[in-house]
Amino acid sequence: MKKFAFFLLGLVAFVACSEQKAPFNYRGLAFTTPVDQFVDSMLARGFAIDSAASDSGRTVVFAGENKPYRVLAAFSGNQLQVIQESYIADNNDSTRVMWQRLRDGLEKELNAWPNCPILKDDHKVANFDTSDGFIAIILENTYTPTLTVRYTPKKEEK
């Protein structure tokens, strides 16, 4: 019986330690997703390509009629390099509220505290360091309200 208990505990420990962690992703789309598949997924989510703002060789900008933000996806070859959301807001107060909501949401989702090097009324930055990427929430309310969220995967060391 003792051997069976140790075997069972060992099996549970093995399964717990061998769980695969989900790769760094943007709203459920892994950064390892090929660019064509990423674009198709964004189109299926109700976005359209803003061809006037896109550079066919390196960036694609997505906009949605009912979306409060635009998405810029930069890539090199067939690999995503960075994704940036740019939120549309009417005034500085609304971007401050949006910044706080996004920060609190990521704090809960990632179960981590952000590094906030700047926390002024009109300029705030919250940086989250995940195991395989970085997420930055940046508020700049100097002349026009600007709120961006940037997803950057960590580079693999060779």
Side-chain angles (χ1 to χ4, degrees):
M1 186 68 164
K2 212 180 217 182
K3 288 181 183 179
F4 179 74
F6 280 119
F7 172 76
L8 191 57
L9 287 174
L11 182 63
V12 169
F14 174 76
V15 170
C17 291
S18 66
E19 267 186 35
Q20 288 282 331
K21 190 177 158 266
F24 187 60
N25 68 72
Y26 169 73
R27 298 186 182 254
L29 297 172
F31 265 76
T32 56
T33 304
V35 174
D36 293 340
Q37 187 177 350
F38 178 83
V39 169
D40 291 343
S41 297
M42 291 297 285
L43 295 174
R45 291 178 178 199
F47 285 93
I49 296 175
D50 181 351
S51 57
S54 299
D55 171 2
S56 62
R58 288 168 273 177
T59 60
V60 177
V61 177
F62 300 94
E65 195 172 301
N66 299 324
K67 307 290 183 184
Y69 56 91
R70 295 167 58 88
V71 178
L72 178 133
F75 53 93
S76 175
N78 203 25
Q79 180 66 43
L80 286 165
Q81 298 297 311
V82 66
I83 295 175
Q84 179 174 302
E85 296 176 343
S86 298
Y87 283 79
I88 301 160
D90 296 331
N91 58 52
N92 289 349
D93 289 337
S94 63
T95 54
R96 287 184 192 111
V97 170
M98 288 170 59
W99 183 88
Q100 190 65 48
R101 284 185 186 151
L102 288 167
R103 178 186 176 266
D104 292 347
L106 282 170
E107 201 173 283
K108 283 181 182 178
E109 181 182 330
L110 300 172
N111 198 22
W113 289 93
N115 174 17
C116 298
I118 302 171
L119 277 177
K120 299 177 183 174
D121 278 345
D122 289 331
H123 190 183
K124 300 177 188 234
V125 176
N127 296 316
F128 290 90
D129 184 354
T130 69
S131 61
D132 48 357
F134 301 101
I135 302 173
I137 308 170
I138 305 160
L139 170 72
E140 296 177 296
N141 282 338
T142 9
Y143 301 107
T144 56
T146 306
L147 178 64
T148 57
V149 181
R150 188 173 304 135
Y151 297 76
T152 310
K154 290 181 180 177
K155 303 293 182 207
E156 291 181 17
E157 293 182 23
K158 294 179 182 180

